[in-house]
Amino acid sequence: RGMQLALEGAPTGTVVLADRQTHGNGRLGRSFASPAGQGVYLSYLLRPDFDPAALSLLTSCAGLAVCQVLEQHGLAPAIKWPNDIILDRRKVCGILTKLTSDAESGTINGAVIGIGVNCNNASEDFPPELREVATSLYLETGKRVQRAALAAALIEELDKLYAALQSGDTASYLTAYRRDCLTLGREVQLLWQNVKEKVTALDVDD
């Protein structure tokens, strides 16, 4: 729905919230489990009236915005590059950014940041294959989450992100991203074109 609104000309700051998603998706065609009443499933529309180079920062900075909200709940989230938010080695949130373009000019005219946060899921609410790798705010804190309040906090942080992108003041986001990125200093598997090898992640450039 967010992509449809983007194509229809909806303005920056337009937000779509869903109680559940029937076709929640992530990177590389993967699915994202989005059961009814359990999570915050939010799409935030931006119109890129800022440096186009900043588009590459959207997913990373949105991940940081999620971390800042979760920290307000007394949690210690980390980012698994590029778009997974991790609590105690398990995924609590996924982020996916999609772009729309003008066919005639070839320019990017919209970006939709999709955020899915597992809020009130019990272990049995996850498919069996995800129970060892996924978690929720409820499982981590023992407390039910007010989803509307969490969504409002996320929107406030995304508004701040958009203002930072407009002003070009993203240095603090990049510094904080490197601080919260658990991928750095670890061995990872590099998949690039026909290359597949184990390497060490040293840093994230601007």
Side-chain angles (χ1 to χ4, degrees):
R1 181 63 177 151
M3 289 294 289
Q4 180 182 344
L5 290 172
L7 293 170
E8 292 172 355
T12 283
T14 298
V15 174
V16 177
L17 284 167
D19 183 58
R20 76 182 180 108
Q21 296 181 114
T22 55
H23 294 89
N25 57 69
R27 292 179 68 239
L28 307 177
R30 300 179 182 123
S31 62
F32 185 88
S34 315
Q38 304 290 356
V40 168
Y41 315 117
L42 179 154
S43 294
Y44 184 94
L45 171 61
L46 292 166
R47 295 292 177 191
D49 51 344
F50 45 77
D51 183 351
L55 286 170
S56 64
L57 302 177
L58 285 179
T59 298
S60 301
C61 290
L64 187 62
V66 174
C67 286
Q68 290 169 338
V69 171
L70 297 187
E71 287 166 3
Q72 295 168 13
H73 286 73
L75 296 165
I79 302 168
K80 179 182 176 184
W81 188 90
N83 65 334
D84 289 345
I85 307 303
I86 305 297
L87 286 173
D88 192 26
R89 301 184 301 279
R90 294 189 293 175
K91 181 175 177 177
V92 72
C93 169
I95 300 168
L96 183 67
T97 301
K98 293 185 176 181
L99 305 177
T100 62
S101 62
D102 184 295
E104 292 186 6
S105 66
T107 59
I108 301 298
N109 60 11
V112 178
I113 303 173
I115 298 174
V117 184
N118 300 328
C119 292
N120 293 323
N121 316 63
S123 181
E124 60 268 20
D125 293 324
F126 292 111
E129 66 273 15
L130 296 181
R131 290 173 189 170
E132 296 300 316
V133 295
T135 189
S136 71
L137 302 183
Y138 169 68
L139 288 172
E140 296 299 320
T141 66
K143 299 176 182 178
R144 297 289 177 182
V145 175
Q146 296 295 320
R147 293 185 297 149
L150 183 70
L154 287 171
I155 293 166
E156 287 181 4
E157 287 297 333
L158 291 168
D159 286 343
K160 293 176 186 176
L161 165 61
Y162 180 65
L165 291 170
Q166 278 190 306
S167 68
D169 182 20
T170 56
S172 62
Y173 279 91
L174 293 168
T175 298
Y177 183 88
R178 293 183 178 101
R179 179 198 67 208
D180 290 346
C181 185
L182 61 77
T183 307
L184 300 186
R186 299 193 177 196
E187 184 178 76
V188 298
Q189 184 154 265
L190 173 65
L191 301 174
W192 178 254
Q193 298 177 349
N194 295 324
V195 176
K196 182 177 180 180
E197 62 179 304
K198 290 185 177 180
V199 298
T200 299
L202 299 179
D203 198 0
V204 178
D205 65 21
D206 289 355

